[in-house]
């Protein structure tokens, strides 16, 4: 059985949602956020001190987008995964990793310098600059999602989970008013998925 180490609504929500979409049995282990600061025992699980840590037998994955790719390829090929033979395989990989590297990363700096640092260390200009960075990189998705239900391959895939988490974080940071309308409508559609609701419920129950 897969074990997922998770913090409430952190990046590890991506693989949690994927596990629910794939219907894979799993054990969910919850930690306070950030575990590297609040529970030093977590370093025994992951020396980086970050979530997720996904454990499947001898496999350990500590990147959220990689966890999604792993679950899709291993447990849902041709459904949540996009095969190398499919025309939009490249788009799938691009959006799967763009969700983390391009869309989530700048928001983590907003989160840190506007919310997590003590008041004397907060940097409003840094937070504002990286919020603008995120929104600028999100903008090209508007025309794409105005013509599509899902981000690629004509179906819901791991790439949608990756991008959707960035949109969830934008909502947490109250940036949703500046998200392109077609992208916001896409995010609202994804929240209606039963597996999304189950993942939300699972983390609260745990």
């Amino acid at each position: 059985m897969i074990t997922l180490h998770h913090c409430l609504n952190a990046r590890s929500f991506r693989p949690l949602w994927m596990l629910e979409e794939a219907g894979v049995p799993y054990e969910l282990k919850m930690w306070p956020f950030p575990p590297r600061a609040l529970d030093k025992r977590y370093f025994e699980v992951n020396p980086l001190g970050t979530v997720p840590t996904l454990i499947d037998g001898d496999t350990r994955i500590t990147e959220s987008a990689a966890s999604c790719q792993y679950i899709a390829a291993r447990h849902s090929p041709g459904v949540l995964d996009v095969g190398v033979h499919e025309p939009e395989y490249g788009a799938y990989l691009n959006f799967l990793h763009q969700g983390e590297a391009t869309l989530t990363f700048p928001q983590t700096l907003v989160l840190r310098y506007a919310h997590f640092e003590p008041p004397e260390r907060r940097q409003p200009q840094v937070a504002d600059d990286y919020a603008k960075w995120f929104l600028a990189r999100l903008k090209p998705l508007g025309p794409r999602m105005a013509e599509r239900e899902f981000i690629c391959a004509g179906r819901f895939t791991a790439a949608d989970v990756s991008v959707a988490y960035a949109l969830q974080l934008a909502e947490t940071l109250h940036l949703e008013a500046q998200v392109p309308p077609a992208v916001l409508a896409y995010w609202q559609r994804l929240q209606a998925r039963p597996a999304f609701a189950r993942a939300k419920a699972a983390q609260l129950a745990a």
Side-chain angles (χ1 to χ4, degrees):
M1 181 181 291
I2 287 177
T3 299
L4 177 64
H5 293 264
H6 173 52
C7 296
L8 187 71
N9 289 330
R11 285 173 166 107
S12 46
F13 185 76
R14 284 186 176 116
L16 175 57
W17 183 2
M18 282 292 298
L19 288 165
E20 288 290 348
E21 290 281 357
V24 178
Y26 64 90
E27 179 184 9
L28 188 61
K29 294 193 174 182
M30 299 293 295
W31 296 84
F33 184 85
R36 62 183 174 274
L38 297 179
D39 194 334
K40 301 296 186 182
R41 294 174 301 169
Y42 186 66
F43 284 107
E44 298 172 12
V45 176
N46 177 1
L48 296 174
T50 58
V51 291
T53 301
L54 184 145
I55 304 171
D56 187 11
D58 293 331
T59 298
R60 282 179 177 252
I61 302 176
T62 59
E63 295 292 334
S64 64
S67 297
C68 292
Q69 188 172 353
Y70 176 85
I71 294 165
R74 180 63 65 89
H75 297 286
S76 188
V79 182
L80 297 173
D81 186 38
V82 176
V84 296
H85 60 284
E86 295 186 65
E88 290 206 281
Y89 174 67
Y92 167 71
L93 291 181
N94 188 64
F95 286 111
L96 176 64
H97 295 285
Q98 188 181 87
E100 171 60 19
T102 301
L103 299 179
T104 299
F105 166 72
Q107 293 189 89
T108 63
L109 295 173
V110 179
L111 198 61
R112 176 176 178 178
Y113 288 108
H115 300 280
F116 283 172
E117 290 285 355
E120 67 276 10
R121 285 182 50 84
R122 291 183 183 176
Q123 300 287 338
Q125 186 64 57
V126 172
D128 186 56
D129 287 349
Y130 277 96
K132 290 176 181 176
W133 180 7
F134 159 71
L135 291 165
R137 281 151 181 77
L138 186 67
K139 192 173 181 180
L141 278 183
R144 184 179 185 88
M145 299 320 301
E147 301 176 347
R148 293 168 173 255
E149 182 178 5
F150 302 114
I151 205 157
C152 66
R155 64 181 184 273
F156 180 86
T157 69
D160 292 291
V161 170
S162 182
V163 171
Y165 179 75
L167 300 175
Q168 176 175 290
L169 185 55
E171 193 173 78
T172 300
L173 295 173
H174 307 295
L175 298 173
E176 70 273 15
Q178 301 174 72
V179 171
V183 178
L184 196 58
Y186 161 67
W187 164 228
Q188 290 167 347
R189 290 195 302 274
L190 295 187
Q191 291 178 81
R193 294 183 66 82
F196 179 85
R198 290 196 301 269
K200 285 287 189 179
Q203 67 176 359
L204 292 177

